[in-house]
Amino acid sequence: MTGISKAPDDKHLRILSTTDLAGIDISLADVVDTVEGAYRTLHAGESDNPRKLSVKPRDGHSVSYAMLGRDGSRDVVAIKTSYKHGLDKDRDAQHYYTALTLYDDVTGLPLAMMDCSRIGSLRTPAVSALLARELAAPGARSALVIGTGTQGRLALPFLLTTLPELDRLMLSGTHPDGIAAVREQLRVHFPDRDVEIVTDLRSAAGEADVVVATAGPHTPAAVEADWLRPGALSVLVGHGLAPSTLHEADRVIATSEAQMNVTGTDMADADGKLPSVDAEFPPVIAGAAVGRRSPGERIFAYNSGLVVTDIALGHRFAQLAVAQGLGTEVPLWQ
């Protein structure tokens, strides 16, 4: 059940803006639990997560995605749209809009439409942290994050949430504001921890048990497979890993092989091919498939967003928003 009460004939749509969502307090552990629950429900066959649709003009200046899904444990159907413009320009000149619309699949009523940027900024590093929890070598103590954009800023706090034994945190980045933002987020959630800024990427990658690559498409960073130590886990979120880390990995895990084949084409080999995935993450997290087989194998993990995780987290935010009286009711269908 959705846990959001509405009158039987209430077709109002609650609009949750960026400002509304920014005011909602949610712990990192709550986010991780919500995302993990979505994966387990999907593996149990109770949810649906069809392949995403994408549209991109020939010159590559924009890209858009549409994702439809259903969360069976919450009885919620949702549609997420994502649109990026200005990919041929500097970051400051780019535009990005993403929205999530939720419907109650018991009553058939609309629940909420929200800006999905905060959902994504929390969901993606939570997934990376879950991948690290399940796939990092036993006794992993060091982590390297590549990139200081939206996805890089919460990567370390989430990693510490699932792997609290990490005692060396490294960051590779070139934007002063981004580096400052990473440090600020770490202080907010773990005030006793600090991050080491690294300039020798090859050396840092060779010393890290977990590497999370979140950099933008124009980054010069490209960690090669032979830089990684035995047992290393490399997680690709954005950019920062060379294709060799995928093709020479001892084991490949993806949140979705179908989505990797759609959005991971920049990691293809000279023949334009991607290797087969050894296991998808939902059955791994549910204990139905093997993640890591031995301490020494190098694992490549592909983190592409599944809409069921957005639905679960978006619904959690909608519950909290309703409880706090946030949002604007719009009579869209009345």
Side-chain angles (χ1 to χ4, degrees):
M1 293 297 187
T2 66
I4 300 175
S5 299
K6 297 188 75 170
D9 59 347
D10 185 0
K11 297 180 182 179
H12 284 76
L13 183 66
R14 182 180 295 264
I15 303 296
L16 297 172
S17 68
T18 304
T19 302
D20 291 328
L21 296 173
I24 294 175
D25 186 27
I26 186 170
S27 70
L28 301 187
D30 191 347
V31 173
V32 168
D33 289 345
T34 300
V35 171
E36 180 173 0
Y39 277 123
R40 291 180 178 275
T41 303
L42 179 62
H43 171 70
E46 299 173 15
S47 296
D48 297 291
N49 193 100
R51 180 172 173 173
K52 68 172 65 173
L53 300 176
S54 64
V55 175
K56 190 174 185 179
R58 291 182 180 179
D59 63 5
H61 75 271
S62 71
V63 64
S64 55
Y65 298 100
M67 292 147 278
L68 169 69
R70 182 182 186 279
D71 185 318
S73 67
R74 295 171 178 268
D75 289 315
V76 171
V77 170
I79 298 172
K80 178 185 176 182
T81 58
S82 177
Y83 172 60
K84 296 180 182 179
H85 183 275
L87 299 180
D88 53 342
K89 299 180 175 62
D90 292 337
R91 184 182 300 179
D92 293 343
Q94 295 179 7
H95 298 279
Y96 176 51
Y97 305 100
T98 178
L100 180 71
T101 307
L102 303 168
Y103 301 89
D104 187 329
D105 200 31
V106 173
T107 65
L109 296 173
L111 292 175
M113 180 178 186
M114 66 190 71
D115 166 33
C116 203
S117 56
R118 190 179 179 203
I119 306 301
S121 71
L122 292 170
R123 177 263 291 155
T124 303
V127 172
S128 293
L130 285 167
L131 286 163
R133 188 191 73 188
E134 298 296 322
L135 302 175
R141 303 297 293 270
S142 57
L144 166 66
V145 172
I146 303 170
T148 61
T150 300
Q151 297 305 331
R153 296 178 185 184
L154 279 171
L156 290 172
F158 272 106
L159 283 174
L160 287 172
T161 300
T162 60
L163 293 177
E165 65 274 17
L166 292 174
D167 57 20
R168 186 182 183 193
L169 309 176
M170 295 176 280
L171 176 68
S172 173
T174 58
H175 298 282
D177 290 345
I179 292 172
V182 170
R183 280 196 156 127
E184 174 60 25
Q185 287 297 320
L186 188 58
R187 280 195 295 267
V188 167
H189 297 283
F190 294 91
D192 59 332
R193 302 301 300 271
D194 198 3
V195 61
E196 172 188 345
I197 310 302
V198 299
T199 55
D200 186 340
L201 182 59
R202 179 168 189 159
S203 176
E207 297 171 0
D209 296 308
V210 178
V211 179
V212 180
T214 73
H218 302 301
T219 182
V223 170
E224 296 285 353
D226 60 3
W227 298 7
L228 298 170
R229 69 193 307 175
L233 166 67
S234 54
V235 180
L236 184 61
V237 178
H239 300 267
L241 298 178
S244 63
T245 57
L246 168 60
H247 294 274
E248 298 177 26
D250 298 308
R251 194 156 176 81
V252 177
I253 309 294
T255 48
S256 165
E257 184 170 19
Q259 288 198 12
M260 186 177 88
N261 288 329
V262 171
T263 60
T265 54
D266 58 317
M267 296 293 282
D269 62 15
D271 296 323
K273 296 181 179 179
L274 293 171
S276 298
V277 167
D278 293 295
E280 290 190 321
F281 193 50
V284 170
I285 203 169
V290 176
R292 175 175 289 276
R293 297 171 301 182
S294 67
E297 65 182 356
R298 294 185 179 96
I299 296 180
F300 176 95
Y302 191 81
N303 178 355
S304 61
L306 298 186
V307 74
V308 289
T309 58
D310 294 291
I311 294 171
L313 193 54
H315 182 256
R316 181 73 182 118
F317 269 94
Q319 288 176 317
L320 295 170
V322 168
Q324 297 177 35
L326 298 173
T328 302
E329 293 282 348
V330 177
L332 186 62
W333 294 287
Q334 294 178 333

